[in-house]
Amino acid sequence: MKHLLFTLSLLFTFSSFSQEIGIGLSANFPSYGISGKIKLDDNHAGQVIYGAFGTLSNISGKYSYYFNGNGEIDTYLYGQAGSWRYKAFGIDESVFGYGIGAGVEFGFNSYWWPENLKYSFEIGYGSVDLNYYDYKATTVGVAIHYYLD
């Protein structure tokens, strides 16, 4: 809980320097969960992901470099790192994990669809080395964020 409060305080602190703030869901191993995203300028974005939906929980940060800036379709590279915790059957273990990859973010421009809603598709590599829950894999992920004005 302390990590979440600290992360939220950082999110609100950096939001004053951002172009866009997005809130949504992200699912790409090793991180999945509720997500807050801040676009600092046309090329740089930071993201915090908090997931506590089962025996494996995580809190991680993600940096993305966008190539296209503010286009309709934005391609990017990302790196992420954080803390993962496995808690089940009397086992309680926390470790550092990381991931790298590439993605594309886009929105629909239509009169019936919210223009602030954007989708992301990613492919990457992630590694979390827990004793009882070891993952190293090439992954495909998705995310959806609503950007505040």
Side-chain angles (χ1 to χ4, degrees), residues 58-107:
N58 71 82
I59 185 161
S60 63
K62 186 181 208 179
Y63 167 78
S64 301
Y65 179 82
Y66 286 82
F67 293 105
N68 301 14
N70 281 329
E72 287 184 26
I73 298 177
D74 292 331
T75 55
Y76 59 91
L77 295 176
Y78 70 86
Q80 64 184 12
S83 174
W84 280 260
R85 181 178 182 190
Y86 178 75
K87 186 175 182 181
F89 309 112
I91 301 165
D92 191 357
E93 180 185 12
S94 292
V95 297
F96 172 82
Y98 67 92
I100 56 171
V104 60
E105 181 178 70
F106 61 93

Side-chain angles (χ1 to χ4, degrees), residues 3-18:
H3 294 306
L4 181 59
L5 292 175
F6 176 73
T7 303
L8 289 175
S9 67
L10 285 177
L11 184 67
F12 289 118
T13 301
F14 287 115
S15 67
S16 62
F17 301 107
S18 69

